[in-house]
Amino acid sequence: MTSHHNGLKTAALLGLLTSLILAVGYWLGGSTGLVLAVLISLATNAVSYFWSDRIALRAMGARPVSEPEFPELYQIVRELATEAGQPMPRLYVSPSMQPNAFATGRDPEHAAVAVTVGITRILNLRELRGVIGHELSHVYNRDILISSVAAGLAGIVTMLAQLAIFLPFFGGSDDEDSPNPAGMLLMVILGPLAASIIQLAISRNREFQADASGATLTGDPLALASALEKIHYGTQRAPLPAEGQLASTAHLMIANPFRGGGLTSPFSTHPPMAERVRRLHEQASLTGRR
């Protein structure tokens, strides 16, 4: 029932984001702008669907690894995938020393799980298992596809709204297809903000759900809680630069790779780590896990 409810909420959010794209396109160029926005939306969704995994892996410089290189990682992933009755995903390792991990791919058959060198150095095997359970849950819940599409759509809204800065204002025209200057200005200011809020709402909700379902898969909520505390400390000590492709794929990672806090914290792609840890401890107490 929870899964069905979340699916409906996600569909509604993505529908609202698509409507924003069409509205921005219309304000910018009337009927022509509307058609252009539709075409860009379709193209971006296609890219997100088929190549989101490559974009995310490239952003972190991740490379595929063999079982002889990381036998314990393979053992953990194979065990959990078998437990879930799902195919074995491809495994990657990023050279980044920041402790982090992410999963990508549009479905379990095309999934990839990546960990950083940094995370393998600070987590014990029990904690690493908890992190892998979280990432596999993202794949099984189809969160990766939803997040990728949301990120792509949000990017379109931002791009179209910013285009208004470089276009002339055509006020006072009787032509119904002429853009409205006030509407254009509103979209320049509110369009990117609204798109970001919708994307973040999806990302934050999915992190809580992946924590819970991942802990259920591993049967060890406290292992994930302990891992999250270590990861949070490590990411805050060594934040990554919020630029390039990394900025557009950060929502896929188990922890915000950028420096948190301050005025930007309400717009973080991840919920507060303390709240995630608290919920996992609550889940452990309800299930009798220690």
Side-chain angles (χ1 to χ4, degrees):
M1 190 64 166
T2 301
S3 175
H4 179 67
H5 174 73
N6 286 336
L8 290 176
K9 186 165 74 170
T10 298
L13 287 170
L14 292 178
L16 180 56
L17 191 49
T18 301
S19 299
L20 276 173
I21 291 173
L22 299 181
V24 173
Y26 181 78
W27 283 116
L28 288 179
S31 299
T32 301
L34 181 62
V35 173
L36 181 61
V38 170
L39 294 177
I40 294 177
S41 298
L42 292 175
T44 302
N45 281 334
V47 170
S48 298
Y49 185 82
F50 289 108
W51 292 292
S52 61
D53 56 342
R54 301 179 192 178
I55 295 172
L57 292 167
R58 187 181 302 115
M60 286 297 290
R63 66 176 182 86
V65 291
S66 62
E67 188 163 1
E69 291 179 276
F70 286 84
E72 293 169 330
L73 177 62
Y74 265 82
Q75 180 181 349
I76 291 172
V77 175
R78 183 179 291 112
E79 173 194 332
L80 292 177
T82 301
E83 175 70 21
Q86 298 289 349
M88 179 78 176
R90 309 187 315 275
L91 300 187
Y92 289 77
V93 170
S94 163
S96 174
M97 295 308 298
Q98 182 191 87
N100 227 315
F102 64 94
T104 185
R106 61 185 183 270
D107 54 42
E109 287 72 29
H110 299 87
V113 173
V115 298
T116 64
V117 170
I119 204 173
T120 64
R121 296 190 177 180
I122 69 169
L123 301 187
N124 59 40
L125 291 181
R126 180 187 171 197
E127 292 165 338
L128 184 60
R129 186 171 181 268
V131 167
I132 297 301
H134 170 100
E135 296 304 335
L136 290 177
S137 291
H138 273 311
V139 175
Y140 304 154
N141 295 338
R142 299 301 195 275
D143 294 344
I144 309 303
L145 174 60
I146 292 168
S147 296
S148 297
V149 171
L153 293 176
I156 297 172
V157 173
T158 302
M159 179 192 69
L160 290 176
Q162 289 175 340
L163 279 177
I165 299 174
F166 305 100
L167 294 178
F169 289 89
F170 299 113
S173 172
D174 294 330
D175 186 352
E176 63 177 9
D177 281 346
S178 295
N180 182 291
M184 289 172 64
L185 183 59
L186 187 65
M187 284 301 173
V188 169
I189 298 172
L190 298 183
L193 178 61
S196 297
I197 290 173
I198 292 172
Q199 182 191 344
L200 299 183
I202 293 173
S203 298
R204 287 186 166 214
N205 178 64
R206 297 292 167 174
E207 287 304 314
F208 283 130
Q209 185 177 352
D211 284 344
S213 55
T216 299
L217 176 60
T218 62
D220 196 353
L222 294 184
L224 178 56
S226 176
L228 290 178
E229 290 178 321
K230 289 183 178 180
I231 292 169
H232 180 64
Y233 179 74
T235 55
Q236 293 303 295
R237 287 193 63 188
L240 298 179
E243 57 190 23
Q245 289 184 329
L246 185 59
S248 62
T249 57
H251 64 283
L252 296 176
M253 299 184 191
I254 194 169
N256 183 3
F258 312 131
R259 188 175 298 281
L263 296 175
T264 61
S265 58
F267 300 98
S268 171
T269 54
H270 297 71
M273 193 63 79
E275 176 62 17
R276 295 173 66 182
V277 170
R278 186 196 68 77
R279 292 191 184 197
L280 286 166
H281 277 276
E282 185 178 83
Q283 182 176 348
S285 65
L286 290 174
T287 57
R289 298 291 302 188
R290 290 291 184 269

